[in-house]
């Protein structure tokens, strides 16, 4: 969420009141935990035509009062701070011809210096101070901040709508455009039916037990869209959420946490965007344990269905021996930092560095699904795709409500030939798969060999056991008949073909996405998004009939961000808590060049 910061100076004079909006160069508020003596405030707006104290009031006549108040419950609040007239001096000759300065040589903390200075290229407004008598405490990410310095009828104000940092202990922003006026931001009102600022929901009431609490916080998923405005139509656009990432591979969030996005970076880091700001400290760093890069590294993140109460989450990565594994972690007492201790859940034997799959997610049945590639090489050299005695080339389903895991009794190979963990098989490298939030259908994008990329759909009513063909088939084309057969079966009894496929004339490596079930664009509900890391297109289809994807569409031009930005190789898609969809640009695998975009309503 953007932070809006108003710096308002009311200058005493007989002149008529006038709003004087200015562009803020920078703002920094600090409040280190447990160290009030280290609090500080720094604000500056320089070379701004809106700053012209010579035509305003003279603070040496009536003094000033400074007040800084955060707009959300629990935000900082300084109360009124008196800046006496006798501590203001005039600048220039004669005094006051260049502006005014407040300074108290005997004051060791609180507001130390306020400067209003004119200039040929625009004036300067600056405020600085700190220590224990600077009373603005930052115990949480801040919402709108209203700061007033009253010295008469004139109003100077700077408004910051984006920020570099917003977390407990520190707020930092820069290069803000001048606001249209100096009126204070409208107050947040829980119960008005609009989810504002740090409200997670607003259903128009203030009762507990209906999905949205009396303080407008989510109680369960039934109120995820309460207070979120929707837009009709199927137009699409995209906006940059975060740049400067290194090899991003996934965006996700806990199911009741609309204020945070978790970004998986292949090198071993999980980063958090909180209320619109990338936190400087990683949520967790497993770079010492995850072997990167190529097709290895940190590949998946899944929050337990009860994460809000348990704090349990799971990471999938290739370890330093090159083996894919899933480990269980917990969050620390700081919700933005995880504990580094972990428990091994499952490890899979592997023989090459590619085709590791690695995506993990909980299905609507509460079980953890784990997509595994065929182990690598080319052409499935160890024939793992069709080998039910190996976990490679499979979709696994396990119950992690145990010290490690147990087998769901309804898995298709329980009590018969085949490993009990297997849910489906015949996959080459399932690179991003997902369950439809509304229907439970499972969409699996499977990367092809040399010719065909494919998307498979498993209906929610399935009892598992599907054979998606690899390496007998690539897509629906014969690839390599299993010896001793000399040709692929026709008809292909026992095989499940993809609902959509395309050749390498259009791309080289499919990237699976999600079925849109978000709040903002209800007319797009049921639309599945997918891409290709080589081509960077964004395409969709909506529904499956007769085993074939319906209503195909190319949305690449629609979602192009413009403004000098572009979406390149799409390594993944992602969903936030409300089901809005994000596109992850790998940045060609270069450090600091990865980006995340959010899909938003377009014209």
């Amino acid at each position: 969420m953007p932070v809006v910061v108003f710096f308002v100076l009311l200058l005493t004079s007989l002149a008529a009141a006038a709003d004087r909006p200015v562009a803020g160069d920078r703002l920094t508020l600090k409040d280190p935990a447990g160290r009030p003596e280290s609090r500080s405030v720094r604000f500056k707006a320089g070379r701004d035509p809106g700053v012209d104290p010579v035509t305003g009031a003279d603070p040496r006549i009536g003094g000033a009062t400074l007040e800084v108040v955060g707009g959300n419950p629990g935000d900082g609040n300084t109360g009124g701070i008196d800046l006496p007239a006798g501590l203001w001096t005039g600048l220039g000759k004669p005094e006051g011809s260049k502006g005014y300065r407040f300074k108290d040589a005997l004051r060791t903390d609180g507001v130390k210096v306020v400067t209003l200075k004119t200039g040929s290229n625009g004036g300067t407004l600056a405020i600085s101070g700190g220590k224990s008598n600077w009373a603005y405490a930052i115990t949480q990410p801040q919402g709108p901040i209203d700061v007033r310095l009253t010295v008469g009828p004139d109003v100077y104000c700077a408004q910051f709508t984006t920020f570099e940092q917003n977390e407990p202990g520190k707020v930092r922003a820069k290069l803000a455009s001048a606001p249209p006026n100096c009126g204070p931001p409208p107050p947040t009102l829980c119960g008005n039916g609009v989810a504002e600022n740090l409200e997670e929901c607003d259903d128009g009431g203030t009762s507990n037990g209906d999905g949205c609490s009396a303080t407008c916080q989510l109680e369960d998923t039934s109120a995820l869209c309460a207070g979120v405005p929707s837009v009709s139509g199927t137009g699409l656009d995209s906006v940059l959420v975060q740049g400067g990432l290194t090899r991003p591979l996934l965006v996700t969030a806990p199911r009741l946490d609309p204020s945070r996005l978790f970004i998986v970076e292949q090198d071993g880091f999980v980063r958090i965007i909180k209320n619109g700001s990338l936190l400087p400290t990683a949520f967790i760093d497993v770079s010492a344990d995850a072997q990167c890069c190529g097709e290895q590294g940190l590949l998946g993140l899944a929050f337990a269905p009860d994460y809000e109460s348990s704090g349990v989450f799971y990471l999938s990565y290739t370890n330093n021996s090159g083996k894919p594994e899933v480990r269980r972690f917990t969050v620390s007492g700081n919700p933005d930092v995880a504990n580094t201790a972990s428990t091994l859940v499952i490890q899979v034997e592997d023989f090459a560095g590619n085709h590791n799959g690695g995506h993990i997610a909980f299905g609507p049945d509460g079980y953890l699904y784990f997509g595994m590639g065929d182990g690598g090489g080319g052409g499935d050299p160890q024939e793992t795709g069709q080998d039910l005695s190996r976990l490679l080339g499979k979709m696994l389903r396990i119950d992690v409500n145990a010290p490690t895991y147990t087998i769901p009794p309804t898995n298709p190979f329980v009590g018969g030939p085949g490993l009990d963990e297997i849910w489906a098989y015949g996959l080459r490298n399932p690179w991003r798969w997902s369950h439809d939030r509304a229907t439970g259908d499972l969409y699996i994008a499977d990367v092809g060999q040399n010719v065909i990329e494919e998307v498979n759909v498993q209906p929610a009513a399935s009892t598992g056991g599907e054979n998606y063909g690899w390496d007998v088939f690539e897509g629906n084309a014969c690839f390599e008949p299993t010896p001793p057969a000399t040709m692929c079966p026709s008809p292909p009894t026992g095989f499940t073909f993809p609902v959509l496929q395309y050749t390498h004339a259009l791309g080289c490596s499919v990237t699976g996405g999600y079925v849109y079930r978000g709040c903002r664009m209800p007319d797009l509900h049921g639309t599945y998004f997918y891409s290709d890391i080589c081509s960077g297109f964004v395409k969709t289809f909506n529904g499956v009939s007769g085993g074939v994807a319906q209503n195909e569409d190319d949305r690449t031009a629609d979602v192009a961000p413009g403004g000098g930005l572009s979406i390149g190789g799409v390594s993944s898609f992602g969903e936030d808590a409300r089901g809005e969809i994000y596109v992850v640009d790998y940045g060609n695998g270069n450090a600091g060049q990865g980006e995340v975009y959010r899909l938003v309503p377009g014209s």
Side-chain angles (χ1 to χ4, degrees), residues 321-385:
S321 298
K323 298 178 180 179
E325 65 182 35
V326 175
R327 301 190 75 91
R328 180 188 294 111
F329 295 82
T330 58
V331 71
S332 73
N334 180 345
D336 297 327
V337 179
N339 296 313
T340 56
S342 66
T343 301
L344 178 65
V345 175
I346 186 172
Q347 187 180 95
V348 180
E349 291 294 326
D350 202 0
F351 58 87
N354 57 339
H355 302 183
N356 295 299
H359 187 46
I360 53 176
F362 284 89
D365 50 21
Y367 296 129
L368 184 70
Y369 289 69
F370 182 19
M372 279 302 310
D374 65 11
D380 196 5
Q382 296 190 11
E383 303 293 338
T384 62

Side-chain angles (χ1 to χ4, degrees), residues 246-257:
T246 296
R247 290 176 279 277
L249 291 182
L250 181 66
V251 172
T252 188
R255 66 187 192 121
L256 294 180
D257 192 347

Side-chain angles (χ1 to χ4, degrees), residues 104-199:
D104 186 351
L106 300 178
R107 183 177 294 197
T108 59
D109 62 4
V111 179
K112 296 181 180 180
V113 179
V114 177
T115 302
L116 276 170
K117 185 178 180 181
T118 191
S120 58
N121 294 321
T124 296
L125 164 61
I127 300 173
S128 64
K131 297 190 177 180
S132 298
N133 278 349
W134 174 252
Y136 197 90
I138 310 173
T139 60
Q140 62 186 26
Q142 303 293 285
I145 301 174
D146 189 3
V147 183
R148 283 183 167 81
L149 180 62
T150 303
V151 196
D154 291 337
V155 179
Y156 291 79
C157 63
Q159 185 181 86
F160 291 82
T161 58
T162 59
F163 54 93
E164 295 181 312
Q165 192 170 354
N166 184 18
E167 61 183 84
K170 190 170 185 180
V171 172
R172 183 174 61 192
K174 66 178 183 179
L175 301 179
S177 301
N181 58 63
C182 292
T188 298
L189 181 62
C190 181
N192 67 351
V194 180
E196 304 163 290
N197 301 324
L198 296 185
E199 292 180 345

Side-chain angles (χ1 to χ4, degrees), residues 289-311:
D289 302 316
Q291 181 171 292
C292 186
C293 286
E295 295 183 25
Q296 297 179 315
L298 178 57
L299 303 175
L301 162 65
F303 293 97
D306 64 349
Y307 178 79
E308 286 73 22
S309 59
S310 71

